[in-house]
Amino acid sequence: MNESAPAAVTVADEKILAGHILPAIRAIRTHLGCSLQEAVLAFHDRHEALRRERPGAFSGPPGAPVERDGSGGAG
């Protein structure tokens, strides 16, 4: 994987925020030219960063998993 990978994965931010996991991983893999495993790891890292930076921006499909923060959400 390319050394500039952390900045490059922003190409999939909108897909990640929308809950489109597979298209996001595909976009990361295509953009970086990396293996599936590397793309999944990059997706995970970016997903975690977006959860911290933009928690209210997620608009995933109904029933999509949501991290529990102890705020009393359902589940």
Side-chain angles (χ1 to χ4, degrees), residues 13-54:
D13 282 1
E14 294 307 313
K15 290 174 178 62
I16 293 170
L17 292 170
H20 300 146
I21 297 168
L22 294 178
I25 292 171
R26 186 178 304 122
I28 292 168
R29 189 172 185 208
T30 299
H31 186 76
L32 298 178
C34 62
S35 72
L36 179 58
Q37 182 178 10
E38 290 171 322
V40 169
L41 292 172
F43 167 85
H44 180 268
D45 291 345
R46 188 62 189 152
H47 183 271
E48 292 294 316
L50 288 170
R51 280 282 180 204
R52 285 189 309 273
E53 297 166 8
R54 300 166 61 184

PDB file of all heavy atoms in Angstrom, residues 13-54:
ATOM      1  N   ASP A  13     -15.428   8.576   2.020  1.00  0.00           N
ATOM      2  CA  ASP A  13     -16.143   9.124   3.177  1.00  0.00           C
ATOM      3  C   ASP A  13     -17.660   9.135   3.008  1.00  0.00           C
ATOM      4  O   ASP A  13     -18.389   8.739   3.910  1.00  0.00           O
ATOM      5  CB  ASP A  13     -15.666  10.537   3.510  1.00  0.00           C
ATOM      6  CG  ASP A  13     -14.341  10.549   4.240  1.00  0.00           C
ATOM      7  OD1 ASP A  13     -13.758   9.466   4.474  1.00  0.00           O
ATOM      8  OD2 ASP A  13     -13.887  11.652   4.585  1.00  0.00           O
ATOM      9  N   GLU A  14     -18.148   9.593   1.880  1.00  0.00           N
ATOM     10  CA  GLU A  14     -19.605   9.678   1.686  1.00  0.00           C
ATOM     11  C   GLU A  14     -20.250   8.300   1.710  1.00  0.00           C
ATOM     12  O   GLU A  14     -21.340   8.133   2.256  1.00  0.00           O
ATOM     13  CB  GLU A  14     -19.944  10.432   0.400  1.00  0.00           C
ATOM     14  CG  GLU A  14     -19.543  11.896   0.438  1.00  0.00           C
ATOM     15  CD  GLU A  14     -20.081  12.648   1.661  1.00  0.00           C
ATOM     16  OE1 GLU A  14     -21.272  12.514   1.980  1.00  0.00           O
ATOM     17  OE2 GLU A  14     -19.288  13.363   2.301  1.00  0.00           O
ATOM     18  N   LYS A  15     -19.571   7.313   1.141  1.00  0.00           N
ATOM     19  CA  LYS A  15     -20.093   5.939   1.170  1.00  0.00           C
ATOM     20  C   LYS A  15     -20.092   5.393   2.601  1.00  0.00           C
ATOM     21  O   LYS A  15     -21.029   4.722   3.017  1.00  0.00           O
ATOM     22  CB  LYS A  15     -19.268   5.042   0.247  1.00  0.00           C
ATOM     23  CG  LYS A  15     -19.455   5.344  -1.224  1.00  0.00           C
ATOM     24  CD  LYS A  15     -18.496   4.524  -2.078  1.00  0.00           C
ATOM     25  CE  LYS A  15     -18.666   4.751  -3.551  1.00  0.00           C
ATOM     26  NZ  LYS A  15     -18.424   6.103  -4.005  1.00  0.00           N
ATOM     27  N   ILE A  16     -19.043   5.686   3.354  1.00  0.00           N
ATOM     28  CA  ILE A  16     -18.956   5.229   4.736  1.00  0.00           C
ATOM     29  C   ILE A  16     -20.066   5.874   5.552  1.00  0.00           C
ATOM     30  O   ILE A  16     -20.779   5.196   6.296  1.00  0.00           O
ATOM     31  CB  ILE A  16     -17.577   5.545   5.343  1.00  0.00           C
ATOM     32  CG1 ILE A  16     -16.487   4.721   4.642  1.00  0.00           C
ATOM     33  CG2 ILE A  16     -17.577   5.276   6.847  1.00  0.00           C
ATOM     34  CD1 ILE A  16     -15.069   5.137   4.999  1.00  0.00           C
ATOM     35  N   LEU A  17     -20.245   7.166   5.408  1.00  0.00           N
ATOM     36  CA  LEU A  17     -21.269   7.881   6.160  1.00  0.00           C
ATOM     37  C   LEU A  17     -22.678   7.401   5.817  1.00  0.00           C
ATOM     38  O   LEU A  17     -23.568   7.413   6.659  1.00  0.00           O
ATOM     39  CB  LEU A  17     -21.157   9.391   5.922  1.00  0.00           C
ATOM     40  CG  LEU A  17     -19.904  10.040   6.496  1.00  0.00           C
ATOM     41  CD1 LEU A  17     -19.778  11.478   6.003  1.00  0.00           C
ATOM     42  CD2 LEU A  17     -19.900   9.993   8.014  1.00  0.00           C
ATOM     43  N   ALA A  18     -22.876   6.964   4.583  1.00  0.00           N
ATOM     44  CA  ALA A  18     -24.175   6.481   4.145  1.00  0.00           C
ATOM     45  C   ALA A  18     -24.415   5.020   4.519  1.00  0.00           C
ATOM     46  O   ALA A  18     -25.499   4.496   4.293  1.00  0.00           O
ATOM     47  CB  ALA A  18     -24.315   6.653   2.636  1.00  0.00           C
ATOM     48  N   GLY A  19     -23.393   4.358   5.084  1.00  0.00           N
ATOM     49  CA  GLY A  19     -23.551   2.961   5.472  1.00  0.00           C
ATOM     50  C   GLY A  19     -23.334   1.980   4.340  1.00  0.00           C
ATOM     51  O   GLY A  19     -23.698   0.814   4.453  1.00  0.00           O
ATOM     52  N   HIS A  20     -22.744   2.430   3.250  1.00  0.00           N
ATOM     53  CA  HIS A  20     -22.484   1.565   2.100  1.00  0.00           C
ATOM     54  C   HIS A  20     -21.090   0.958   2.228  1.00  0.00           C
ATOM     55  O   HIS A  20     -20.125   1.438   1.618  1.00  0.00           O
ATOM     56  CB  HIS A  20     -22.627   2.364   0.808  1.00  0.00           C
ATOM     57  CG  HIS A  20     -23.995   2.950   0.640  1.00  0.00           C
ATOM     58  ND1 HIS A  20     -24.206   4.156   0.038  1.00  0.00           N
ATOM     59  CD2 HIS A  20     -25.219   2.502   1.014  1.00  0.00           C
ATOM     60  CE1 HIS A  20     -25.494   4.421   0.041  1.00  0.00           C
ATOM     61  NE2 HIS A  20     -26.128   3.430   0.633  1.00  0.00           N
ATOM     62  N   ILE A  21     -20.999  -0.094   2.999  1.00  0.00           N
ATOM     63  CA  ILE A  21     -19.712  -0.681   3.373  1.00  0.00           C
ATOM     64  C   ILE A  21     -18.953  -1.258   2.181  1.00  0.00           C
ATOM     65  O   ILE A  21     -17.787  -0.925   1.968  1.00  0.00           O
ATOM     66  CB  ILE A  21     -19.916  -1.755   4.463  1.00  0.00           C
ATOM     67  CG1 ILE A  21     -20.494  -1.100   5.713  1.00  0.00           C
ATOM     68  CG2 ILE A  21     -18.607  -2.471   4.772  1.00  0.00           C
ATOM     69  CD1 ILE A  21     -21.007  -2.085   6.738  1.00  0.00           C
ATOM     70  N   LEU A  22     -19.593  -2.134   1.435  1.00  0.00           N
ATOM     71  CA  LEU A  22     -18.881  -2.777   0.325  1.00  0.00           C
ATOM     72  C   LEU A  22     -18.463  -1.778  -0.753  1.00  0.00           C
ATOM     73  O   LEU A  22     -17.312  -1.830  -1.215  1.00  0.00           O
ATOM     74  CB  LEU A  22     -19.701  -3.922  -0.260  1.00  0.00           C
ATOM     75  CG  LEU A  22     -19.900  -5.100   0.694  1.00  0.00           C
ATOM     76  CD1 LEU A  22     -20.766  -6.173   0.043  1.00  0.00           C
ATOM     77  CD2 LEU A  22     -18.579  -5.680   1.147  1.00  0.00           C
ATOM     78  N   PRO A  23     -19.338  -0.848  -1.166  1.00  0.00           N
ATOM     79  CA  PRO A  23     -18.878   0.155  -2.131  1.00  0.00           C
ATOM     80  C   PRO A  23     -17.730   1.014  -1.578  1.00  0.00           C
ATOM     81  O   PRO A  23     -16.836   1.409  -2.331  1.00  0.00           O
ATOM     82  CB  PRO A  23     -20.124   1.005  -2.401  1.00  0.00           C
ATOM     83  CG  PRO A  23     -21.256   0.079  -2.126  1.00  0.00           C
ATOM     84  CD  PRO A  23     -20.790  -0.764  -0.965  1.00  0.00           C
ATOM     85  N   ALA A  24     -17.738   1.285  -0.283  1.00  0.00           N
ATOM     86  CA  ALA A  24     -16.650   2.063   0.323  1.00  0.00           C
ATOM     87  C   ALA A  24     -15.338   1.291   0.251  1.00  0.00           C
ATOM     88  O   ALA A  24     -14.304   1.849  -0.126  1.00  0.00           O
ATOM     89  CB  ALA A  24     -16.982   2.407   1.772  1.00  0.00           C
ATOM     90  N   ILE A  25     -15.375   0.018   0.597  1.00  0.00           N
ATOM     91  CA  ILE A  25     -14.165  -0.810   0.536  1.00  0.00           C
ATOM     92  C   ILE A  25     -13.677  -0.921  -0.905  1.00  0.00           C
ATOM     93  O   ILE A  25     -12.477  -0.817  -1.178  1.00  0.00           O
ATOM     94  CB  ILE A  25     -14.410  -2.195   1.163  1.00  0.00           C
ATOM     95  CG1 ILE A  25     -14.612  -2.040   2.678  1.00  0.00           C
ATOM     96  CG2 ILE A  25     -13.256  -3.152   0.856  1.00  0.00           C
ATOM     97  CD1 ILE A  25     -15.067  -3.301   3.381  1.00  0.00           C
ATOM     98  N   ARG A  26     -14.610  -1.082  -1.841  1.00  0.00           N
ATOM     99  CA  ARG A  26     -14.239  -1.170  -3.252  1.00  0.00           C
ATOM    100  C   ARG A  26     -13.574   0.135  -3.708  1.00  0.00           C
ATOM    101  O   ARG A  26     -12.559   0.108  -4.419  1.00  0.00           O
ATOM    102  CB  ARG A  26     -15.474  -1.454  -4.101  1.00  0.00           C
ATOM    103  CG  ARG A  26     -15.161  -1.695  -5.565  1.00  0.00           C
ATOM    104  CD  ARG A  26     -16.392  -2.016  -6.407  1.00  0.00           C
ATOM    105  NE  ARG A  26     -17.111  -3.156  -5.865  1.00  0.00           N
ATOM    106  CZ  ARG A  26     -18.392  -3.120  -5.476  1.00  0.00           C
ATOM    107  NH1 ARG A  26     -19.098  -2.018  -5.566  1.00  0.00           N
ATOM    108  NH2 ARG A  26     -18.973  -4.205  -5.007  1.00  0.00           N
ATOM    109  N   ALA A  27     -14.126   1.283  -3.305  1.00  0.00           N
ATOM    110  CA  ALA A  27     -13.552   2.579  -3.692  1.00  0.00           C
ATOM    111  C   ALA A  27     -12.146   2.747  -3.123  1.00  0.00           C
ATOM    112  O   ALA A  27     -11.238   3.224  -3.814  1.00  0.00           O
ATOM    113  CB  ALA A  27     -14.458   3.716  -3.224  1.00  0.00           C
ATOM    114  N   ILE A  28     -11.966   2.347  -1.872  1.00  0.00           N
ATOM    115  CA  ILE A  28     -10.650   2.440  -1.237  1.00  0.00           C
ATOM    116  C   ILE A  28      -9.658   1.547  -1.970  1.00  0.00           C
ATOM    117  O   ILE A  28      -8.546   1.968  -2.303  1.00  0.00           O
ATOM    118  CB  ILE A  28     -10.725   2.059   0.259  1.00  0.00           C
ATOM    119  CG1 ILE A  28     -11.516   3.121   1.028  1.00  0.00           C
ATOM    120  CG2 ILE A  28      -9.333   1.867   0.847  1.00  0.00           C
ATOM    121  CD1 ILE A  28     -11.903   2.701   2.441  1.00  0.00           C
ATOM    122  N   ARG A  29     -10.081   0.329  -2.251  1.00  0.00           N
ATOM    123  CA  ARG A  29      -9.194  -0.623  -2.916  1.00  0.00           C
ATOM    124  C   ARG A  29      -8.797  -0.145  -4.308  1.00  0.00           C
ATOM    125  O   ARG A  29      -7.627  -0.213  -4.701  1.00  0.00           O
ATOM    126  CB  ARG A  29      -9.874  -1.987  -3.000  1.00  0.00           C
ATOM    127  CG  ARG A  29      -8.955  -3.065  -3.476  1.00  0.00           C
ATOM    128  CD  ARG A  29      -9.592  -4.422  -3.353  1.00  0.00           C
ATOM    129  NE  ARG A  29      -8.611  -5.425  -3.726  1.00  0.00           N
ATOM    130  CZ  ARG A  29      -8.916  -6.598  -4.228  1.00  0.00           C
ATOM    131  NH1 ARG A  29     -10.170  -6.952  -4.384  1.00  0.00           N
ATOM    132  NH2 ARG A  29      -7.971  -7.446  -4.541  1.00  0.00           N
ATOM    133  N   THR A  30      -9.766   0.374  -5.039  1.00  0.00           N
ATOM    134  CA  THR A  30      -9.491   0.886  -6.386  1.00  0.00           C
ATOM    135  C   THR A  30      -8.565   2.089  -6.326  1.00  0.00           C
ATOM    136  O   THR A  30      -7.590   2.185  -7.083  1.00  0.00           O
ATOM    137  CB  THR A  30     -10.808   1.270  -7.086  1.00  0.00           C
ATOM    138  OG1 THR A  30     -11.619   0.101  -7.201  1.00  0.00           O
ATOM    139  CG2 THR A  30     -10.558   1.845  -8.462  1.00  0.00           C
ATOM    140  N   HIS A  31      -8.863   3.004  -5.416  1.00  0.00           N
ATOM    141  CA  HIS A  31      -8.084   4.236  -5.319  1.00  0.00           C
ATOM    142  C   HIS A  31      -6.638   3.976  -4.889  1.00  0.00           C
ATOM    143  O   HIS A  31      -5.711   4.573  -5.423  1.00  0.00           O
ATOM    144  CB  HIS A  31      -8.753   5.195  -4.341  1.00  0.00           C
ATOM    145  CG  HIS A  31      -8.106   6.541  -4.295  1.00  0.00           C
ATOM    146  ND1 HIS A  31      -8.290   7.474  -5.288  1.00  0.00           N
ATOM    147  CD2 HIS A  31      -7.261   7.103  -3.402  1.00  0.00           C
ATOM    148  CE1 HIS A  31      -7.597   8.556  -4.989  1.00  0.00           C
ATOM    149  NE2 HIS A  31      -6.962   8.363  -3.858  1.00  0.00           N
ATOM    150  N   LEU A  32      -6.469   3.093  -3.922  1.00  0.00           N
ATOM    151  CA  LEU A  32      -5.129   2.829  -3.399  1.00  0.00           C
ATOM    152  C   LEU A  32      -4.383   1.741  -4.163  1.00  0.00           C
ATOM    153  O   LEU A  32      -3.168   1.621  -4.032  1.00  0.00           O
ATOM    154  CB  LEU A  32      -5.202   2.428  -1.920  1.00  0.00           C
ATOM    155  CG  LEU A  32      -5.777   3.464  -0.960  1.00  0.00           C
ATOM    156  CD1 LEU A  32      -5.817   2.905   0.454  1.00  0.00           C
ATOM    157  CD2 LEU A  32      -4.959   4.744  -1.013  1.00  0.00           C
ATOM    158  N   GLY A  33      -5.113   0.920  -4.899  1.00  0.00           N
ATOM    159  CA  GLY A  33      -4.475  -0.180  -5.603  1.00  0.00           C
ATOM    160  C   GLY A  33      -3.912  -1.202  -4.626  1.00  0.00           C
ATOM    161  O   GLY A  33      -2.828  -1.737  -4.830  1.00  0.00           O
ATOM    162  N   CYS A  34      -4.652  -1.459  -3.551  1.00  0.00           N
ATOM    163  CA  CYS A  34      -4.164  -2.341  -2.489  1.00  0.00           C
ATOM    164  C   CYS A  34      -4.960  -3.640  -2.458  1.00  0.00           C
ATOM    165  O   CYS A  34      -5.928  -3.813  -3.193  1.00  0.00           O
ATOM    166  CB  CYS A  34      -4.264  -1.629  -1.138  1.00  0.00           C
ATOM    167  SG  CYS A  34      -5.939  -1.188  -0.649  1.00  0.00           S
ATOM    168  N   SER A  35      -4.553  -4.541  -1.589  1.00  0.00           N
ATOM    169  CA  SER A  35      -5.246  -5.813  -1.424  1.00  0.00           C
ATOM    170  C   SER A  35      -6.581  -5.594  -0.706  1.00  0.00           C
ATOM    171  O   SER A  35      -6.811  -4.547  -0.100  1.00  0.00           O
ATOM    172  CB  SER A  35      -4.388  -6.783  -0.619  1.00  0.00           C
ATOM    173  OG  SER A  35      -4.344  -6.376   0.744  1.00  0.00           O
ATOM    174  N   LEU A  36      -7.423  -6.596  -0.759  1.00  0.00           N
ATOM    175  CA  LEU A  36      -8.702  -6.534  -0.056  1.00  0.00           C
ATOM    176  C   LEU A  36      -8.480  -6.358   1.443  1.00  0.00           C
ATOM    177  O   LEU A  36      -9.144  -5.542   2.095  1.00  0.00           O
ATOM    178  CB  LEU A  36      -9.526  -7.801  -0.332  1.00  0.00           C
ATOM    179  CG  LEU A  36     -10.876  -7.888   0.369  1.00  0.00           C
ATOM    180  CD1 LEU A  36     -11.763  -6.712   0.015  1.00  0.00           C
ATOM    181  CD2 LEU A  36     -11.544  -9.203   0.020  1.00  0.00           C
ATOM    182  N   GLN A  37      -7.545  -7.101   1.996  1.00  0.00           N
ATOM    183  CA  GLN A  37      -7.256  -6.998   3.428  1.00  0.00           C
ATOM    184  C   GLN A  37      -6.826  -5.580   3.807  1.00  0.00           C
ATOM    185  O   GLN A  37      -7.285  -5.021   4.793  1.00  0.00           O
ATOM    186  CB  GLN A  37      -6.183  -8.002   3.835  1.00  0.00           C
ATOM    187  CG  GLN A  37      -5.882  -7.966   5.317  1.00  0.00           C
ATOM    188  CD  GLN A  37      -4.845  -8.992   5.729  1.00  0.00           C
ATOM    189  OE1 GLN A  37      -4.209  -9.624   4.902  1.00  0.00           O
ATOM    190  NE2 GLN A  37      -4.676  -9.157   7.022  1.00  0.00           N
ATOM    191  N   GLU A  38      -5.952  -4.985   3.004  1.00  0.00           N
ATOM    192  CA  GLU A  38      -5.504  -3.616   3.285  1.00  0.00           C
ATOM    193  C   GLU A  38      -6.657  -2.620   3.162  1.00  0.00           C
ATOM    194  O   GLU A  38      -6.756  -1.681   3.947  1.00  0.00           O
ATOM    195  CB  GLU A  38      -4.371  -3.222   2.337  1.00  0.00           C
ATOM    196  CG  GLU A  38      -3.081  -3.967   2.623  1.00  0.00           C
ATOM    197  CD  GLU A  38      -2.031  -3.742   1.542  1.00  0.00           C
ATOM    198  OE1 GLU A  38      -2.390  -3.674   0.356  1.00  0.00           O
ATOM    199  OE2 GLU A  38      -0.848  -3.635   1.922  1.00  0.00           O
ATOM    200  N   ALA A  39      -7.541  -2.841   2.189  1.00  0.00           N
ATOM    201  CA  ALA A  39      -8.686  -1.954   2.011  1.00  0.00           C
ATOM    202  C   ALA A  39      -9.649  -2.054   3.184  1.00  0.00           C
ATOM    203  O   ALA A  39     -10.187  -1.044   3.647  1.00  0.00           O
ATOM    204  CB  ALA A  39      -9.407  -2.278   0.706  1.00  0.00           C
ATOM    205  N   VAL A  40      -9.858  -3.265   3.699  1.00  0.00           N
ATOM    206  CA  VAL A  40     -10.732  -3.449   4.861  1.00  0.00           C
ATOM    207  C   VAL A  40     -10.129  -2.743   6.075  1.00  0.00           C
ATOM    208  O   VAL A  40     -10.844  -2.073   6.835  1.00  0.00           O
ATOM    209  CB  VAL A  40     -10.983  -4.947   5.146  1.00  0.00           C
ATOM    210  CG1 VAL A  40     -11.657  -5.152   6.485  1.00  0.00           C
ATOM    211  CG2 VAL A  40     -11.821  -5.557   4.029  1.00  0.00           C
ATOM    212  N   LEU A  41      -8.839  -2.866   6.263  1.00  0.00           N
ATOM    213  CA  LEU A  41      -8.183  -2.182   7.386  1.00  0.00           C
ATOM    214  C   LEU A  41      -8.271  -0.666   7.236  1.00  0.00           C
ATOM    215  O   LEU A  41      -8.544   0.048   8.215  1.00  0.00           O
ATOM    216  CB  LEU A  41      -6.725  -2.627   7.496  1.00  0.00           C
ATOM    217  CG  LEU A  41      -6.514  -4.078   7.919  1.00  0.00           C
ATOM    218  CD1 LEU A  41      -5.044  -4.454   7.807  1.00  0.00           C
ATOM    219  CD2 LEU A  41      -7.039  -4.326   9.318  1.00  0.00           C
ATOM    220  N   ALA A  42      -8.074  -0.165   6.013  1.00  0.00           N
ATOM    221  CA  ALA A  42      -8.181   1.273   5.773  1.00  0.00           C
ATOM    222  C   ALA A  42      -9.612   1.744   6.006  1.00  0.00           C
ATOM    223  O   ALA A  42      -9.838   2.812   6.584  1.00  0.00           O
ATOM    224  CB  ALA A  42      -7.740   1.601   4.344  1.00  0.00           C
ATOM    225  N   PHE A  43     -10.591   0.939   5.588  1.00  0.00           N
ATOM    226  CA  PHE A  43     -12.004   1.258   5.837  1.00  0.00           C
ATOM    227  C   PHE A  43     -12.259   1.365   7.333  1.00  0.00           C
ATOM    228  O   PHE A  43     -12.875   2.322   7.807  1.00  0.00           O
ATOM    229  CB  PHE A  43     -12.916   0.185   5.223  1.00  0.00           C
ATOM    230  CG  PHE A  43     -14.341   0.295   5.700  1.00  0.00           C
ATOM    231  CD1 PHE A  43     -15.216   1.159   5.068  1.00  0.00           C
ATOM    232  CD2 PHE A  43     -14.786  -0.442   6.783  1.00  0.00           C
ATOM    233  CE1 PHE A  43     -16.531   1.280   5.519  1.00  0.00           C
ATOM    234  CE2 PHE A  43     -16.084  -0.324   7.241  1.00  0.00           C
ATOM    235  CZ  PHE A  43     -16.961   0.530   6.609  1.00  0.00           C
ATOM    236  N   HIS A  44     -11.799   0.379   8.081  1.00  0.00           N
ATOM    237  CA  HIS A  44     -12.012   0.363   9.526  1.00  0.00           C
ATOM    238  C   HIS A  44     -11.406   1.599  10.186  1.00  0.00           C
ATOM    239  O   HIS A  44     -12.057   2.261  10.998  1.00  0.00           O
ATOM    240  CB  HIS A  44     -11.413  -0.904  10.141  1.00  0.00           C
ATOM    241  CG  HIS A  44     -11.602  -0.990  11.609  1.00  0.00           C
ATOM    242  ND1 HIS A  44     -10.671  -0.511  12.507  1.00  0.00           N
ATOM    243  CD2 HIS A  44     -12.619  -1.465  12.344  1.00  0.00           C
ATOM    244  CE1 HIS A  44     -11.119  -0.697  13.726  1.00  0.00           C
ATOM    245  NE2 HIS A  44     -12.291  -1.273  13.659  1.00  0.00           N
ATOM    246  N   ASP A  45     -10.182   1.918   9.817  1.00  0.00           N
ATOM    247  CA  ASP A  45      -9.513   3.089  10.386  1.00  0.00           C
ATOM    248  C   ASP A  45     -10.274   4.369  10.068  1.00  0.00           C
ATOM    249  O   ASP A  45     -10.469   5.226  10.929  1.00  0.00           O
ATOM    250  CB  ASP A  45      -8.080   3.202   9.865  1.00  0.00           C
ATOM    251  CG  ASP A  45      -7.175   2.108  10.400  1.00  0.00           C
ATOM    252  OD1 ASP A  45      -7.548   1.422  11.381  1.00  0.00           O
ATOM    253  OD2 ASP A  45      -6.081   1.930   9.822  1.00  0.00           O
ATOM    254  N   ARG A  46     -10.728   4.498   8.811  1.00  0.00           N
ATOM    255  CA  ARG A  46     -11.437   5.717   8.421  1.00  0.00           C
ATOM    256  C   ARG A  46     -12.813   5.788   9.085  1.00  0.00           C
ATOM    257  O   ARG A  46     -13.264   6.856   9.504  1.00  0.00           O
ATOM    258  CB  ARG A  46     -11.571   5.785   6.896  1.00  0.00           C
ATOM    259  CG  ARG A  46     -12.121   7.098   6.425  1.00  0.00           C
ATOM    260  CD  ARG A  46     -11.199   8.251   6.806  1.00  0.00           C
ATOM    261  NE  ARG A  46     -11.848   9.525   6.534  1.00  0.00           N
ATOM    262  CZ  ARG A  46     -11.607  10.650   7.197  1.00  0.00           C
ATOM    263  NH1 ARG A  46     -10.697  10.700   8.129  1.00  0.00           N
ATOM    264  NH2 ARG A  46     -12.253  11.740   6.889  1.00  0.00           N
ATOM    265  N   HIS A  47     -13.488   4.635   9.195  1.00  0.00           N
ATOM    266  CA  HIS A  47     -14.797   4.580   9.860  1.00  0.00           C
ATOM    267  C   HIS A  47     -14.673   5.055  11.306  1.00  0.00           C
ATOM    268  O   HIS A  47     -15.468   5.866  11.778  1.00  0.00           O
ATOM    269  CB  HIS A  47     -15.348   3.150   9.803  1.00  0.00           C
ATOM    270  CG  HIS A  47     -16.699   3.004  10.392  1.00  0.00           C
ATOM    271  ND1 HIS A  47     -16.902   2.737  11.723  1.00  0.00           N
ATOM    272  CD2 HIS A  47     -17.927   3.113   9.822  1.00  0.00           C
ATOM    273  CE1 HIS A  47     -18.205   2.662  11.953  1.00  0.00           C
ATOM    274  NE2 HIS A  47     -18.844   2.894  10.822  1.00  0.00           N
ATOM    275  N   GLU A  48     -13.672   4.558  11.998  1.00  0.00           N
ATOM    276  CA  GLU A  48     -13.436   4.974  13.386  1.00  0.00           C
ATOM    277  C   GLU A  48     -13.159   6.471  13.471  1.00  0.00           C
ATOM    278  O   GLU A  48     -13.671   7.156  14.360  1.00  0.00           O
ATOM    279  CB  GLU A  48     -12.264   4.191  13.990  1.00  0.00           C
ATOM    280  CG  GLU A  48     -12.549   2.717  14.195  1.00  0.00           C
ATOM    281  CD  GLU A  48     -13.624   2.470  15.239  1.00  0.00           C
ATOM    282  OE1 GLU A  48     -13.575   3.115  16.298  1.00  0.00           O
ATOM    283  OE2 GLU A  48     -14.509   1.638  14.976  1.00  0.00           O
ATOM    284  N   ALA A  49     -12.347   6.989  12.558  1.00  0.00           N
ATOM    285  CA  ALA A  49     -12.030   8.420  12.548  1.00  0.00           C
ATOM    286  C   ALA A  49     -13.286   9.247  12.300  1.00  0.00           C
ATOM    287  O   ALA A  49     -13.517  10.258  12.970  1.00  0.00           O
ATOM    288  CB  ALA A  49     -10.975   8.723  11.490  1.00  0.00           C
ATOM    289  N   LEU A  50     -14.121   8.814  11.359  1.00  0.00           N
ATOM    290  CA  LEU A  50     -15.354   9.554  11.080  1.00  0.00           C
ATOM    291  C   LEU A  50     -16.320   9.491  12.260  1.00  0.00           C
ATOM    292  O   LEU A  50     -17.029  10.461  12.525  1.00  0.00           O
ATOM    293  CB  LEU A  50     -16.021   9.015   9.811  1.00  0.00           C
ATOM    294  CG  LEU A  50     -15.320   9.370   8.507  1.00  0.00           C
ATOM    295  CD1 LEU A  50     -15.924   8.585   7.347  1.00  0.00           C
ATOM    296  CD2 LEU A  50     -15.393  10.866   8.243  1.00  0.00           C
ATOM    297  N   ARG A  51     -16.357   8.373  12.967  1.00  0.00           N
ATOM    298  CA  ARG A  51     -17.226   8.262  14.148  1.00  0.00           C
ATOM    299  C   ARG A  51     -16.819   9.289  15.201  1.00  0.00           C
ATOM    300  O   ARG A  51     -17.659   9.836  15.898  1.00  0.00           O
ATOM    301  CB  ARG A  51     -17.163   6.858  14.752  1.00  0.00           C
ATOM    302  CG  ARG A  51     -17.996   5.853  14.044  1.00  0.00           C
ATOM    303  CD  ARG A  51     -19.438   6.008  14.428  1.00  0.00           C
ATOM    304  NE  ARG A  51     -20.243   5.019  13.732  1.00  0.00           N
ATOM    305  CZ  ARG A  51     -21.524   5.174  13.488  1.00  0.00           C
ATOM    306  NH1 ARG A  51     -22.161   6.241  13.888  1.00  0.00           N
ATOM    307  NH2 ARG A  51     -22.179   4.254  12.849  1.00  0.00           N
ATOM    308  N   ARG A  52     -15.518   9.533  15.314  1.00  0.00           N
ATOM    309  CA  ARG A  52     -15.029  10.535  16.278  1.00  0.00           C
ATOM    310  C   ARG A  52     -15.252  11.952  15.766  1.00  0.00           C
ATOM    311  O   ARG A  52     -15.681  12.825  16.512  1.00  0.00           O
ATOM    312  CB  ARG A  52     -13.531  10.323  16.550  1.00  0.00           C
ATOM    313  CG  ARG A  52     -13.204   9.153  17.439  1.00  0.00           C
ATOM    314  CD  ARG A  52     -11.729   9.148  17.830  1.00  0.00           C
ATOM    315  NE  ARG A  52     -10.835   9.261  16.686  1.00  0.00           N
ATOM    316  CZ  ARG A  52     -10.381   8.245  15.962  1.00  0.00           C
ATOM    317  NH1 ARG A  52     -10.747   7.012  16.257  1.00  0.00           N
ATOM    318  NH2 ARG A  52      -9.558   8.446  14.945  1.00  0.00           N
ATOM    319  N   GLU A  53     -14.926  12.184  14.491  1.00  0.00           N
ATOM    320  CA  GLU A  53     -14.941  13.529  13.926  1.00  0.00           C
ATOM    321  C   GLU A  53     -16.328  14.025  13.548  1.00  0.00           C
ATOM    322  O   GLU A  53     -16.605  15.215  13.639  1.00  0.00           O
ATOM    323  CB  GLU A  53     -14.060  13.578  12.670  1.00  0.00           C
ATOM    324  CG  GLU A  53     -12.597  13.300  12.942  1.00  0.00           C
ATOM    325  CD  GLU A  53     -11.810  13.029  11.665  1.00  0.00           C
ATOM    326  OE1 GLU A  53     -12.360  13.200  10.537  1.00  0.00           O
ATOM    327  OE2 GLU A  53     -10.647  12.631  11.778  1.00  0.00           O
ATOM    328  N   ARG A  54     -17.182  13.129  13.075  1.00  0.00           N
ATOM    329  CA  ARG A  54     -18.490  13.527  12.537  1.00  0.00           C
ATOM    330  C   ARG A  54     -19.572  12.546  12.961  1.00  0.00           C
ATOM    331  O   ARG A  54     -20.264  11.959  12.123  1.00  0.00           O
ATOM    332  CB  ARG A  54     -18.411  13.589  11.014  1.00  0.00           C
ATOM    333  CG  ARG A  54     -17.381  14.582  10.511  1.00  0.00           C
ATOM    334  CD  ARG A  54     -17.066  14.419   9.044  1.00  0.00           C
ATOM    335  NE  ARG A  54     -18.226  14.613   8.181  1.00  0.00           N
ATOM    336  CZ  ARG A  54     -18.206  14.436   6.867  1.00  0.00           C
ATOM    337  NH1 ARG A  54     -17.105  14.070   6.262  1.00  0.00           N
ATOM    338  NH2 ARG A  54     -19.285  14.623   6.143  1.00  0.00           N
TER     339      ARG A  54
END
